[in-house]
């Protein structure tokens, strides 16, 4: 209950009341004493002044036949006791000797004899003038009035022991204490009331601030009044709202960045100034081929490329580039400092996998070299035959001339072939060549191929057979292109099987689920296992001389693979023991589900 502010409030009120009561009490009690003193002095002055003629004369003029001045004075003073306020208890009068101040008579003899000669009495004796108390700190008040009566000189001494004042002051003191207690009790009660109106809203505000500090923005603080605390609460609420919006925005940004970070293909690793990993993405681990934990350091990962201090010292927006080979991968790295000014800064490394790029670049170079080579051979042939013809014009026998011209024609046909095949491939590459999809009979296509190549096979002395499963379905595809693929595979089987009557070429086909398949099997020269994965590469030929001899370009199977891929089918050698080779083609009956 007595929390700090509340306690302070009570304390302030208690102190306030105590000090107020002390001041009021002191002032009051002082005033009472002063009042009595003034009243006493005034009464004495009025009573004993020469203007109070009757009384004054009674005091100074002795009676006729008066023998004792003291007696005379007594007879005057006694009846005036009431006027002088002499009650014999708190206030008394005494008649003293005018020269020594010794007691002669009075209203209380015992007291009169015991009293010392007071300063006022001495003053009156010395000056012959009345003297009365002015000091409020004394515990009595008195007045000494010198009187001459007849031959005697006396001092009328009025002495008041202030008992009345003390009693009144005691009563006042009790009253003040009572008021103080009452004030204290009411101050405690008041402090509760104040606490309710002032401290409770502050406490509510404090609790709200604590909630916000802990990240809980769910509740608004209730505004209970329109006073300063109310304004503060409203301001706090709007501040919390703004803070929440800002935090949400920042979180949103961070989430976006996290997602980007997680799914980006480039690898990213961030290090703090001490070289410890503070952030990394899966791509980075994948590219660097190792797990990256919190204990992984910059030096372990990239220390060989550049010193971390060197990267940190780079002027913004500078960065260092580098390359690294990890296993089969070629990586390109970019090292840049971030937040250089602050202690939270560090180094960010972005890793770009350029393996594919390098491979493609390599393939492109190889391809250009191949094309140049393939075109140069027929060109050289054409040129040399044409030169011979030109040099020996009219001298060359007609037979030979015809022969030469035949070679020139053949070579230019081959060049045309190569150029046509290259054009086909380039159309596939650029996506310009679209498939003309339509349903057609798969079985009939195979039979057409069989009929088309039968004579050629027989010319080479091969036995060509065809074995088809019954009820082969119609399929959807680009018929001409698929025929081109079949033709290429069957022609290859004929080409790469030695003549001489032992050649056996078998075409078979069937259905497997939602696919149809065709296999072309020969017992020819086959392809060594290590070369098999490469036969679909452009210009790849196991035996270059033989292929060229038979008019091959080394592009047939590449084109076939492009076509089959576009139909979302597959083509490849069947893993079987030699001799010869079996190529299997599979095509979806429904055609490609979507054209690429
Ligand atoms: P090419 O026009 O040279 O025949 P392809 O792309 O059709 O080109 O074939 C690529 C290479 O694969 C051929 O050069 C040949 O070495 C090999 N090849 C293809 N089919 C056969 C087969 N049935 N038997 C042996 N080798 C083959």
């Amino acid at each position: 209950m007595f929390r700090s502010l509340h306690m302070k409030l009570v304390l302030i009120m208690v102190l306030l009341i105590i000090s107020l009561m002390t001041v009021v009490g002191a002032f009051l009690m002082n005033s009472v004493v002063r009042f009595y003193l003034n009243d006493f002095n005034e009464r004495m002055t009025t009573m004993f002044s020469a203007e109070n003629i009757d009384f004054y004369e009674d005091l100074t003029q002795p009676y006729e036949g008066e023998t004792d001045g003291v007696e005379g004075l007594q007879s005057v003073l006694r009846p005036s006791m009431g006027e002088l306020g002499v009650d014999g208890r708190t206030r008394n009068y005494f008649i003293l000797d005018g020269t020594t101040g010794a007691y002669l008579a009075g209203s209380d003899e015992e007291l009169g004899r015991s009293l010392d000669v007071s300063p006022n009495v001495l003053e009156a004796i010395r000056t012959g003038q009345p003297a009365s108390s002015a000091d409020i700190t004394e515990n009595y008040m008195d007045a000494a009035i010198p009187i001459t009566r007849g031959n005697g000189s006396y001092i009328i001494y009025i002495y008041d022991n202030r008992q009345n004042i003390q009693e009144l002051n005691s009563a006042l003191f009790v009253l003040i204490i009572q008021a103080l207690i009452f004030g204290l009790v009411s101050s405690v009660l008041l402090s509760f009331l104040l606490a309710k109106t002032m401290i409770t809203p502050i406490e509510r505000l404090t609790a709200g601030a604590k909630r916000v500090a802990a990240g809980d923005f769910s509740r608004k603080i209730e505004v209970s009044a329109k006073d300063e605390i109310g304004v503060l609460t409203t301001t706090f609420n709007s501040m919390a709202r703004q803070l929440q919006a800002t935090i949400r925005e920042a979180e949103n940004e961070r989430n976006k960045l996290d997602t980007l970070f997680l799914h980006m293909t480039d690898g990213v690793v961030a290090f703090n100034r001490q070289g410890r990993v503070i952030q990394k993405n899966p791509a980075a681990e994948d590219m660097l081929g190792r797990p990256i934990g919190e204990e992984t350091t910059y030096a372990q990962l990239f220390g060989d490329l550049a010193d971390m201090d060197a990267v940190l010292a780079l002027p913004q927006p500078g960065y260092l580039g580098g390359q690294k080979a990890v296993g089969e991968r070629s990586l390109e790295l970019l090292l840049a400092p971030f937040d250089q000014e602050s202690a939270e800064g560090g180094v960010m490394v972005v890793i770009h996998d350029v393996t594919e790029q390098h491979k493609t670049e390599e393939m492109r170079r190889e391809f250009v070299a191949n094309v140049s080579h393939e075109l140069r051979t027929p060109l050289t042939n054409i040129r040399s035959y044409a030169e011979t013809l030109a040099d020996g014009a009219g001298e060359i026998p007609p037979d030979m001339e015809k022969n030469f011209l035949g070679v020139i024609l053949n070579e230019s046909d081959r060049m045309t072939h190569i150029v046509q095949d290259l054009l086909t491939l380039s159309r596939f590459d650029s996506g310009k060549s679209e498939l003309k999809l339509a349903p057609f009979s798969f079985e009939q296509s195979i039979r057409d191929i069989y009929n088309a190549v039968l004579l050629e096979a027989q010319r080479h002395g091969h036995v060509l057979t065809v074995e088809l499963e019954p009820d082969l379905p119609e399929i959807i595809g680009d018929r001409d292109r698929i025929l081109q693929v079949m033709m290429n595979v069957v022609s290859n089987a004929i080409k790469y099987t030695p003549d001489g009557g032992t050649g056996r070429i078998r075409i078979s086909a069937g259905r497997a689920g939602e696919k149809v398949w065709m296999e072309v099997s020969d017992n020819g020269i086959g392809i060594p296992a290590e070369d098999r994965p490469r036969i679909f590469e452009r210009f790849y030929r196991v035996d270059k001389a033989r292929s060229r001899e038979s008019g091959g370009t080394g592009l047939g199977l590449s084109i076939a693979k492009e076509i089959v891929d576009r139909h979302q089918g597959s083509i490849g050698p069947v893993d079987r023991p030699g001799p010869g080779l079996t190529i299997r083609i599979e095509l979806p009956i429904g055609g490609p589900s979507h054209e690429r």
Side-chain angles (χ1 to χ4, degrees), residues 488 492 495-496 522 526-527 540-542 547 552-554 556-557 581:
N488 183 273
N492 278 350
K495 265 195 304 193
Y496 300 107
D522 63 58
I527 303 175
Y540 188 79
R541 285 174 294 201
V542 180
S547 161
T553 59
L557 280 181
L581 180 77

